[in-house]
Amino acid sequence: MSSELAASFRDPSGFVFRREGRLHRHVSPRGAADYDALMSSGLYDALIERDLMVAHAEVDVSTSPGAHRVLKPHEVRFVSYPYEWSFSQLKDAALVTLEAQAMALEHGMCLRDASAYNLLARPGAKPVLIDTLSFGRYDEGSPWIAYKQFCQHFLAPLALMAHTDVSLGKLGRLHIDGIPLELASRLLPGKTRLSPGLLAHIHLHAKSQAKHAGSNRQVASARISKHALLALLDSLQSTVRKLEWKPAGTEWGDYYQDTNYSEAAQADKTRVVEAFIAQARPETVWDLGGNVGRFSRLASRQGIQTICFDMDPAAVELAYQKTLADKEEHLLPLLLDLTNPSPALGWHHAERDALLDRGPADLVMGLALIHHLAIGNNVPLHRVASFMAAAGRRLIIEFVPKSDSQVQRLLLNREDIFDDYDEPGFEAAFASHFKVLQKHKVAQSERTLYLMERI
Amino acid sequence: MSLARTLLLAAAVAIMVIPSAAAYLDPGTGAVLWQVLVSSLLGAVFAVKLFWRRIKDFFLGLFGRKPHEQ
């Protein structure tokens, strides 16, 4: 049984389909010459050697009628989207794209598109290109068709995150083909006009687009030399490299220095979470509200594929940097606001999947999280339970009572309307979706840890 | 290639050829015209940059240091 993915309809040179749970790529006759050039020019081998693209195997062509080739990429475990990446994840994806384009030009080819959705974020390494059919033969003298797309998908959001507000990375959720440059130009502070790269590739680029909008002028004859094209790439590269964002003072960025857990309680919690993970024996873990990944690592260090989701861009940034530095092959940090998780987006709601459509995970962890959802965001406990049941088969969850100082802080300036927010109320709310396998009162603390299984 | 020739080549902005048949994106009129203009200017800067890099590598080479890697 195979089904074509609705996300891959734009490019007629091929499409992606799922067969027996694995992604495959159909190369159509229209994409045949470019694909064959990719393989025979040496570019494919060079990209794989530099770890810039996911390797694939060619499989039996009869599995997809009308295909020139059928490709089976090396296993893709979890697809995340650019609006779920931290600043450096997107910056690294931009640099990978530019490096691949420079390498393509050396081999007589070029990137036909420069969408951030062509890259896959992966654990312990920089993002990697997944769209094998992005490469086309380079017609010397032709401009880079994907220049505007690169600026919209990478340069604009990175500049906005670095110079305006880091949360603007989420603008990608609104604008599925990247941030319009006119919008980026308006939102960026005036000082960015002093950066030659941002002036050229965003502000003046936007002006040129506005000036020629609605024009009937044909540009098919426009020519630029290969040298000028390499100069353009060099400029984009140095503009991207200069963009920096350093986490400082964000809400929970310093969470683990600010906890009211004693050392003994922390040690007990760690030991129990570890034991619960061992009992659950998951292949995949989603750690929701996982901050910098302290507890995610209890799973990932055992070789379990773990995703650490957090809403704090600083936490995700720090976690990503650490996964790169330590080459953590099983931990992927991603940005996610649980109170408004990534929805299904694009044409027919089917180009980008909602978070829950990318699950469920074998095990979901929600540690020091329940009070943020139930009290900080007024979500009734039974609704928290039903979300958790949709996200994972098993659940490790920590109940944090009202007497806890973190909860007191949330209740400081508001009326306490949470009558059922206590341990019996919590257990009753979760009982309609889960059965409790283990329950443990954390030593020297008022908090309780549960291991539950979906009914 | 001499610097002058590189500069000339970099500034060469001209006409007549249909882009690759496999292109499926609309590159945008304003974006292409801007790309032609900006890349020719950048081409000149890039040529100077490459020229200086060569000089630097020459002197680094004299002192037995590893030349700049692309």
Side-chain angles (χ1 to χ4, degrees):
Chain A
M1 196 32 213
S2 64
S3 57
E4 182 178 339
L5 297 195
S8 66
F9 63 83
R10 288 181 203 277
D11 184 357
S13 55
F15 59 84
V16 176
F17 63 94
R18 202 178 280 281
R19 173 186 288 274
E20 287 152 6
R22 287 286 303 268
L23 290 179
H24 290 71
R25 193 178 294 278
H26 169 118
V27 183
S28 67
R30 205 185 168 102
D34 283 333
Y35 172 73
D36 292 345
L38 167 73
M39 302 308 288
S40 63
S41 64
L43 176 58
Y44 173 81
D45 292 328
L47 290 167
I48 301 300
E49 200 193 323
R50 295 291 294 269
D51 198 23
L52 296 176
M53 190 166 76
V54 173
H56 66 250
E58 290 182 0
V59 298
D60 183 7
V61 75
S62 65
T63 54
S64 187
H68 167 68
R69 293 277 187 281
V70 175
L71 315 179
K72 188 173 170 186
H74 279 199
E75 199 170 351
V76 174
R77 291 172 189 271
F78 183 87
V79 176
S80 63
Y81 303 121
Y83 44 80
E84 296 167 339
W85 298 348
S86 74
F87 177 82
S88 292
Q89 282 171 309
L90 185 62
K91 180 174 169 176
D92 286 342
L95 293 171
V96 164
T97 303
L98 292 173
E99 195 181 340
Q101 165 69 342
M103 201 174 262
L105 288 172
E106 282 171 27
H107 291 81
M109 299 199 71
C110 77
L111 271 178
R112 298 185 303 128
D113 52 24
S115 162
Y117 297 96
N118 284 351
L119 289 108
L120 188 73
R122 54 188 175 157
K126 293 177 179 174
V128 66
L129 281 164
I130 177 84
D131 187 3
T132 323
L133 299 182
S134 281
F135 295 93
R137 287 153 299 158
Y138 172 53
D139 175 13
E140 184 144 356
S142 61
W144 188 25
I145 297 294
Y147 169 59
K148 181 179 89 165
Q149 196 181 34
F150 180 86
C151 294
Q152 292 185 166
H153 278 244
F154 295 105
L155 199 55
L158 286 170
L160 288 167
M161 287 161 97
H163 291 291
T164 305
D165 194 292
V166 73
S167 69
L168 290 178
K170 280 193 270 184
L171 264 185
R173 241 163 83 160
L174 275 181
H175 299 280
I176 201 158
D177 196 24
I179 319 296
L181 297 184
E182 275 193 84
L183 175 63
S185 177
R186 271 203 302 278
L187 292 175
L188 283 169
K191 67 172 187 190
T192 56
R193 286 179 165 76
L194 300 176
S195 147
L198 295 179
L199 177 69
H201 303 303
I202 294 189
H203 295 293
L204 296 177
H205 193 175
K207 272 210 161 64
S208 176
Q209 282 181 27
K211 190 176 162 200
H212 296 281
S215 138
N216 288 326
R217 187 161 170 186
Q218 275 203 322
V219 291
S221 56
R223 304 278 288 152
I224 71 172
S225 68
K226 189 172 174 185
H227 172 85
L229 189 52
L230 289 170
L232 183 77
L233 287 181
D234 183 70
S235 165
L236 287 170
Q237 239 160 10
S238 78
T239 308
V240 170
R241 281 209 185 99
K242 278 181 202 146
L243 292 170
E244 295 283 349
W245 177 72
K246 295 243 182 310
T250 28
E251 206 178 352
W252 302 100
D254 52 358
Y255 181 70
Y256 283 112
Q257 283 76 54
D258 189 33
T259 172
N260 55 352
Y261 257 118
S262 69
E263 220 167 274
Q266 194 69 259
D268 189 46
K269 179 174 168 180
T270 304
R271 183 185 62 75
V272 171
V273 171
E274 215 158 19
F276 284 2
I277 293 170
Q279 187 180 341
R281 297 176 9 133
E283 281 183 22
T284 54
V285 170
W286 287 3
D287 185 7
L288 304 179
N291 198 271
V292 292
R294 181 179 185 146
F295 290 98
S296 308
R297 288 186 171 90
L298 297 179
S300 66
R301 284 185 180 150
Q302 296 178 43
I304 300 163
Q305 288 298 331
T306 306
I307 304 177
C308 175
F309 292 101
D310 204 274
M311 67 181 292
D312 175 0
V316 182
E317 177 71 24
L318 293 170
Y320 173 64
Q321 298 291 2
K322 190 167 162 56
T323 59
L324 281 190
D326 298 349
K327 296 192 173 62
E328 295 179 90
E329 286 177 12
H330 299 96
L331 180 60
L332 175 64
L334 291 174
L335 199 59
L336 180 81
D337 178 359
L338 268 183
T339 66
N340 182 18
S342 304
L345 288 176
W347 180 252
H348 215 128
H349 304 289
E351 284 188 75
R352 313 288 163 231
D353 290 336
L355 173 74
L356 289 182
D357 292 336
R358 289 175 271 161
D362 290 337
L363 175 69
V364 164
M365 303 207 292
L367 303 171
L369 174 72
I370 190 86
H371 49 306
H372 294 293
L373 301 176
I375 293 177
N377 196 50
N378 287 29
V379 183
L381 286 169
H382 71 273
R383 288 185 186 270
V384 178
S386 86
F387 177 84
M388 295 297 178
R393 300 178 183 96
R394 290 185 170 188
L395 172 68
I396 297 176
I397 193 160
E398 179 178 17
F399 183 73
V400 185
K402 274 186 194 164
S403 52
D404 191 287
S405 66
Q406 298 280 352
V407 182
Q408 285 301 312
R409 209 160 81 174
L410 291 173
L411 285 170
L412 194 61
N413 292 310
R414 61 177 299 178
E415 193 184 335
D416 181 358
I417 52 165
F418 308 100
D419 297 337
D420 66 347
Y421 189 88
D422 52 23
E423 215 172 280
F426 166 81
E427 287 179 8
F430 275 69
S432 51
H433 294 279
F434 291 97
K435 69 173 183 218
V436 174
L437 300 179
Q438 297 284 349
K439 178 178 172 182
H440 176 86
K441 202 108 200 141
V442 180
Q444 292 184 21
S445 133
E446 294 174 88
R447 302 183 173 194
T448 313
L449 285 166
Y450 295 83
L451 172 64
M452 301 186 183
E453 185 172 59
R454 203 162 67 182
I455 306 171
Chain B
M1 198 188 305
S2 74
L3 176 62
R5 206 177 142 178
T6 313
L7 282 170
L8 258 179
L9 216 139
V13 175
I15 333 184
M16 301 305 261
V17 159
I18 299 156
S20 161
Y24 72 97
L25 286 183
D26 180 352
T29 310
V32 169
L33 293 174
W34 176 247
Q35 184 184 164
V36 168
L37 184 65
V38 79
S39 61
S40 62
L41 295 172
L42 288 168
V45 178
F46 191 51
V48 175
K49 191 171 161 181
L50 292 180
F51 183 69
W52 277 115
R53 192 177 285 169
R54 240 177 283 155
I55 290 179
K56 208 170 129 193
D57 287 350
F58 172 75
F59 281 106
L60 284 176
L62 278 187
F63 296 107
R65 301 250 308 266
K66 207 178 158 196
H68 182 278
E69 277 180 33
Q70 269 279 47

